[in-house]
Amino acid sequence: MPITPATATHSSSNGTADAILLELVDENGVTLGTAEKLSAHQPPGQLHRAFSVFLFDERGRLLLQQRALGKYHSPGVWSNTCCGHPYPGEAPFAAAARRTYEELGVSPSLLAEAGTVRYNHPDPASGLVEQEYNHLFVGLVQAAPRPDPEEVAETAFVSPAELTERHGKDTFSAWFMTVLDAARPAVRELTGPSAGW
């Protein structure tokens, strides 16, 4: 993992990971403090900062990922290219680029902010709750994904029609449609009218 001022404080000298802390925020995205990751997702959930990335290929197809079966939250479901949480004090843009590389082994050739969305999505399967103030990013990917199998089970590039078909038969993350709909204006600007988003 690249060492930045934010990530340096989340690695210990003996190689073991510290408890992962999330940045708690108010309804306007102003930082209030921190909480341990799992406790922030326990019902009713604590509002925290998150990010969602949507990357597209040269044909305007969206890169989806299927979350690894070993993940404690929403394992095996399909979702957007990458999502996660910045470390406390880490810029959402930097966190989005970092996690995209860590999970998928690719760096976006373009990454742009696409607004924010606030939501409350319980996950019936795990009993956890997503209370998130989510920073959205859209961009382009030109390299083939090389996913980390501990994070990602499978990837797929889909057109809007293929997404509709897949969404009708496969299980997607509870937050997927909320973040996609919020990012659509930026997605359309990025991919152009012919892509159909």
Side-chain angles (χ1 to χ4, degrees), residues 167-187:
H167 196 264
K169 63 182 178 70
D170 293 334
T171 304
F172 275 71
S173 63
W175 61 86
F176 175 74
M177 287 309 299
T178 299
V179 292
L180 176 59
D181 287 345
R184 275 188 200 274
V187 168

Side-chain angles (χ1 to χ4, degrees), residues 54-58 60-62 139-141 157 187 190-191 197:
F54 297 85
L55 295 183
F56 297 83
D57 67 7
E58 71 283 350
R61 298 179 304 167
L62 172 61
L140 301 173
V141 61
F157 283 97
V187 168
L190 176 73
T191 59
W197 293 102

Side-chain angles (χ1 to χ4, degrees), residues 116-129:
T116 59
V117 62
R118 191 264 195 249
Y119 53 79
N120 173 7
H121 284 302
D123 176 36
S126 68
L128 301 176
V129 178

Side-chain angles (χ1 to χ4, degrees), residues 2-194:
I3 300 299
T4 67
T7 60
T9 62
H10 300 278
S11 303
S12 61
S13 57
N14 63 5
T16 60
D18 295 335
I20 297 173
L21 296 178
L22 306 186
E23 197 169 271
L24 301 180
V25 299
D26 67 14
E27 295 291 339
N28 298 310
V30 176
T31 302
L32 299 175
T34 60
E36 191 277 325
K37 183 178 179 180
L38 186 56
S39 69
H41 289 89
Q42 298 289 343
Q46 295 174 278
L47 184 59
H48 57 274
R49 195 176 309 284
F51 63 83
S52 290
V53 177
F54 297 85
L55 295 183
F56 297 83
D57 67 7
E58 71 283 350
R59 294 167 51 191
R61 298 179 304 167
L62 172 61
L63 174 58
L64 297 177
Q65 70 155 276
Q66 183 183 32
R67 294 165 63 85
L69 293 174
K71 293 179 83 73
Y72 74 87
H73 190 354
S74 302
V77 304
W78 287 89
S79 200
N80 49 293
T81 308
C82 180
C83 52
H85 309 93
Y87 291 128
E90 183 182 25
F93 183 94
R98 172 179 58 79
R99 283 304 291 165
T100 299
Y101 185 78
E102 289 171 0
E103 290 187 10
L104 295 159
V106 293
S107 295
S109 57
L110 171 75
L111 192 63
E113 294 184 16
T116 59
V117 62
R118 191 264 195 249
Y119 53 79
N120 173 7
H121 284 302
D123 176 36
S126 68
L128 301 176
V129 178
E130 290 288 3
Q131 286 267 19
E132 293 190 331
Y133 186 93
N134 197 304
H135 297 256
L136 307 170
F137 298 92
V138 299
L140 301 173
V141 61
Q142 294 177 308
R146 293 174 287 113
D148 176 349
E150 292 189 10
E151 297 286 346
V152 179
E154 194 177 337
T155 62
F157 283 97
V158 296
S159 68
E162 290 165 338
L163 175 60
T164 300
E165 180 183 345
R166 186 180 288 261
H167 196 264
K169 63 182 178 70
D170 293 334
T171 304
F172 275 71
S173 63
W175 61 86
F176 175 74
M177 287 309 299
T178 299
V179 292
L180 176 59
D181 287 345
R184 275 188 200 274
V187 168
R188 289 183 185 121
E189 187 175 336
L190 176 73
T191 59
S194 63

